[in-house]
Amino acid sequence: MRIGKKGNLMEWYGDWEDEDPEHRHVSHLFGLHPGRQISPLTTPERAVAAGKTLEMRGDGGTGWSKAWKINFWARLLDGNHAYKMYRELFSTSTLPNLFDTHPPFQIDGNLGSIAGVGEMLLHSQYGEIYLLPALPEKWKKGSVKGFRARGGYKVDMNWKDGNLSHAVIYASQEGECTIRTSAPVSVEKENYHTVKEGNYYITRMRTVPDGYYSIVLK
C-alpha cells in the first residue's frame, strides 16, 4: 500500500490519473474493511489516505457501493459520515420492498448496511473491544443487545447523550478482556485496570467462562 501524490491510497502500482474518479468500486480499501491493515489507531497515515480516497470517489454509486462506504467510514471512526451514507442508501438506493437497487437486488447492499451499523457501534479488532467507536451525533441515545465480539464475547450496551452509560460483557472463556472507550469506565465488583492512551481509555480485566461483567461510566 502506497500513498499517491494527491494524498490518497493508490489503487494501482502506478500513480495514474483516474479515468473515472468517482467510480463506485473502492476495492483497494479492503485493508480498511473487512481487513485490519489500515486503522486510525494503528496506521494513522494510511487511514488519512483511505479517507482521502473516499472523499475523491464521492458519496455516489449504487446501493452496494454505498453500503461498503458505511463500513469504511465507520472503520475510520467517522460516525457522522457513516450515518450520511446509511441515509443515502435508504433514501436513494433502496426499493419500497427494501431490496437494494442494483440490479434490483445485490446482497452487499442489503446485508452490508446492517454490517455498517454494527461497525458504527462496536469494533473488535486488535485484541480489544471498542465500544461506540463511530456513534453518529443523530443517535444520541439507544441500546443494543447480543452483539458478538471476537474472543468469544457478547455485548449489551446502553448510551445516552452520545456517551456510553452502561454495558454488560458476557465471556465464554477464560482470558483477559481489553475494552477501549472514549470516557473512563469502571467494572462493578471486579478487579480491573485502566490506563489513558491519548484520547482513549483502555480497561483490562480477567474473565472466566460464563462470566458477565457490568461496565458503567465513571
Side-chain angles (χ1 to χ4, degrees):
M1 290 182 281
R2 293 184 295 162
I3 298 174
K5 59 181 178 292
K6 294 182 179 179
N8 58 309
L9 194 71
M10 289 170 53
E11 183 172 9
W12 313 107
Y13 68 86
D15 194 9
W16 300 309
E17 291 291 323
D18 285 328
E19 290 293 328
D20 184 5
E22 295 186 3
H23 191 73
R24 63 186 177 274
H25 289 192
V26 202
S27 303
H28 54 305
L29 295 190
F30 188 92
L32 176 62
H33 172 82
R36 289 170 285 180
Q37 292 78 30
I38 303 173
S39 167
L41 302 177
T42 59
T43 59
E45 289 185 357
R46 287 181 182 177
V48 170
K52 182 64 175 178
T53 293
L54 289 170
E55 290 172 3
M56 292 169 62
R57 287 295 165 98
D59 293 337
T62 55
W64 67 262
S65 178
K66 292 175 183 176
W68 275 91
K69 290 172 183 177
I70 298 169
N71 289 270
F72 289 145
W73 284 113
R75 283 286 180 96
L76 289 173
L77 310 181
D78 191 336
N80 290 331
H81 208 137
Y83 176 76
K84 179 179 185 293
M85 295 310 308
Y86 187 69
R87 296 279 298 181
E88 288 273 338
L89 174 64
F90 278 97
S91 63
T92 65
S93 302
T94 303
L95 298 171
N97 66 355
L98 297 183
F99 276 8
D100 168 60
T101 58
H102 186 81
F105 177 77
Q106 214 284 349
I107 201 165
D108 284 17
N110 287 97
L111 301 188
S113 62
I114 303 304
V117 171
E119 293 288 349
M120 293 157 78
L121 299 178
L122 186 146
H123 290 176
S124 62
Q125 293 83 40
Y126 314 112
E128 64 180 32
I129 300 173
Y130 186 176
L131 303 178
L132 303 179
L135 185 69
E137 292 178 0
K138 293 286 187 180
W139 294 351
K140 294 187 181 299
K141 64 178 181 179
S143 64
V144 292
K145 285 188 175 183
F147 265 34
R148 293 288 181 174
R150 289 180 175 88
Y153 299 106
K154 185 175 73 171
V155 182
D156 298 345
M157 285 187 293
N158 294 273
W159 66 91
K160 184 179 180 182
D161 297 326
N163 294 305
L164 179 74
S165 55
H166 180 238
V168 178
I169 294 181
Y170 303 87
S172 64
Q173 59 191 7
E174 182 178 356
E176 183 179 75
C177 180
T178 302
I179 305 162
R180 180 182 293 268
T181 55
S182 58
V185 297
S186 61
V187 184
E188 293 183 335
K189 300 179 182 178
E190 298 291 341
N191 292 323
Y192 67 94
H193 177 66
T194 299
V195 296
K196 192 172 189 298
E197 292 185 0
N199 296 324
Y200 304 103
Y201 295 85
I202 310 299
T203 301
R204 294 181 174 88
M205 61 185 179
R206 298 295 302 178
T207 62
V208 298
D210 299 321
Y212 62 93
Y213 305 87
S214 181
I215 299 164
V216 295
L217 192 68
K218 276 189 176 180

